């Protein structure tokens, strides 16, 4: 009983946090999620010669193709980020970023490096969540209105996004025998599994966000390393990759787990076993509708 009360109180805190931050959370989630693309696009600008020379030397493709590759990456990533943040042509921007992930996977030989490959797939999972969010905007005005239940592509996008975010977490595990590392691995793995299967999703994702944020700032503090040292670039890469996954988890918090999850199945089982009655709990669709309505209003006010 005490354990149930503790879990219920924790979920109430998570719901309260979601209500208080509903005007800002989607913006923060999107910015965190695309931070990797934003940083990489800016890096392409400042390291234009180095990137072009690397591609030209590695692939022997000549000056023109190497320049074209860097230009496509620069404009594609920065342009895609601007479209996503301004919420214009979000689906086309996501597809463009998907294409750039595939292009970079081949160009930088990431396909043969399991760690970097999983991180790229995790970025794809975040983009799937952005696609799911963009598909839900058209229905946000009718959130809370009884409708026929459907197995929409949005639900499977949310499922795919949650599962692919697990890959990024796997690259953050520390395989040593210290007590702290073992504890971090066990707690973190338990939370990411809950997110993947959609059980206590919002609470698990929010807890994992706090945990990853603390680890990211502590272990990936690239600003403490001089820029000329290689470790600076490695830590910066890890920092923004982890930040993107934090953004994906924040989108999971904002969107809810979707229809393909244990949380939604549990609601179905409860509704079948109990007679209809009034409840104080707010459904994910109603809460998502309120968040997107507030999001749209705040976006309109700035324009």
């Amino acid at each position: 009983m005490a354990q149930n009360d503790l879990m219920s109180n924790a979920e109430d805190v998570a719901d309260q946090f979601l209500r208080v931050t509903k005007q800002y959370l989607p913006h923060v989630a999107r910015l965190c999620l695309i931070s990797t693309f934003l940083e990489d696009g800016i890096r392409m600008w400042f390291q234009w010669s180095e990137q072009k020379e690397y591609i030209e030397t590695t692939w022997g493709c000549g000056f023109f193709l190497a320049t074209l590759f860097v230009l496509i990456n620069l404009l594609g990533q920065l342009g895609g980020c601007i479209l996503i943040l301004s919420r214009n042509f979000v689906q086309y921007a996501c597809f463009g970023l998907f294409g750039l992930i595939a292009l970079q996977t081949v160009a930088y030989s990431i396909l043969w490096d399991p760690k970097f490959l999983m991180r790229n797939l995790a970025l794809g999972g975040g983009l799937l969540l952005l696609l799911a969010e963009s598909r839900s905007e058209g229905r946000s005005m009718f959130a809370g209105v009884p409708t026929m239940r459907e197995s929409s592509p949005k639900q499977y996008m949310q499922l795919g996004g949650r599962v692919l975010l697990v890959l990024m977490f796997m690259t953050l595990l520390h395989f040593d025998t210290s007590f702290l590392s073992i504890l971090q691995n066990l707690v973190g793995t338990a939370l990411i599994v809950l997110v993947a299967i959609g059980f206590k999703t919002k609470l698990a994702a929010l807890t994992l966000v706090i945990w990853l944020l603390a680890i990211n700032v502590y272990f990936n503090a690239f600003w403490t390393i001089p820029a000329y040292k290689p470790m600076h670039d490695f830590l910066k890469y890890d920092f923004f990759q982890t930040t993107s996954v934090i953004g994906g988890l924040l989108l999971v918090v904002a969107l809810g787990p979707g229809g393909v999850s244990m949380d939604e199945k549990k609601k179905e089982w409860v509704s079948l076993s109990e007679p209809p009655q009034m409840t104080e709990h707010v459904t994910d669709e109603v809460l998502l509708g309120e968040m997107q309505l507030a999001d749209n209003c705040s976006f309109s006010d700035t324009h």
Side-chain angles (χ1 to χ4, degrees), residues 11 37 48 56 60 134 137 173 194 198 235 258 301-302:
E11 289 179 328
F37 300 105
W48 178 278
E56 186 176 357
S134 68
E137 287 181 351
L173 297 176
L194 291 177
L235 291 180
D301 292 339
T302 59

Side-chain angles (χ1 to χ4, degrees), residues 49-63 66 107:
S49 299
E50 292 88 338
Q51 294 294 325
K52 179 175 61 63
E53 183 180 354
Y54 173 82
I55 295 298
E56 186 176 357
T57 303
T58 302
W59 293 96
C61 56
F63 175 84

Side-chain angles (χ1 to χ4, degrees), residues 182-245:
I182 294 174
L183 180 63
Q184 289 178 348
N185 290 344
L186 291 176
V187 174
T189 301
L191 290 173
I192 199 67
V193 168
L194 291 177
V195 171
I197 65 177
F199 181 71
K200 305 291 183 183
T201 315
K202 292 181 181 179
L203 180 59
L206 192 58
T207 305
L208 194 55
V209 163
I210 297 172
W211 185 73
L212 284 178
L213 183 62
I215 286 182
N216 202 26
V217 172
Y218 182 77
F219 287 106
N220 297 325
F222 65 90
W223 52 87
T224 62
I225 307 295
Y228 63 86
K229 292 188 176 182
M231 183 58 68
H232 177 90
D233 290 333
F234 283 113
L235 291 180
K236 181 189 287 187
Y237 179 83
D238 284 348
F239 180 87
F240 284 102
Q241 287 273 331
T242 307
T243 302
S244 290
V245 174

Side-chain angles (χ1 to χ4, degrees), residues 4-44:
N4 292 335
D5 291 341
L6 179 62
M7 187 65 67
S8 178
N9 291 335
E11 289 179 328
D12 290 340
V13 171
D15 288 337
Q16 183 63 27
F17 169 82
L18 191 56
R19 282 197 170 280
V20 171
T21 61
K22 64 183 179 183
Q23 294 185 6
Y24 314 104
L25 188 61
H27 294 295
V28 174
R30 296 184 202 111
L31 179 60
C32 289
L33 200 153
I34 65 170
S35 62
T36 294
F37 300 105
L38 196 60
E39 186 274 334
D40 195 48
I42 295 173
R43 183 170 57 85
M44 289 285 178

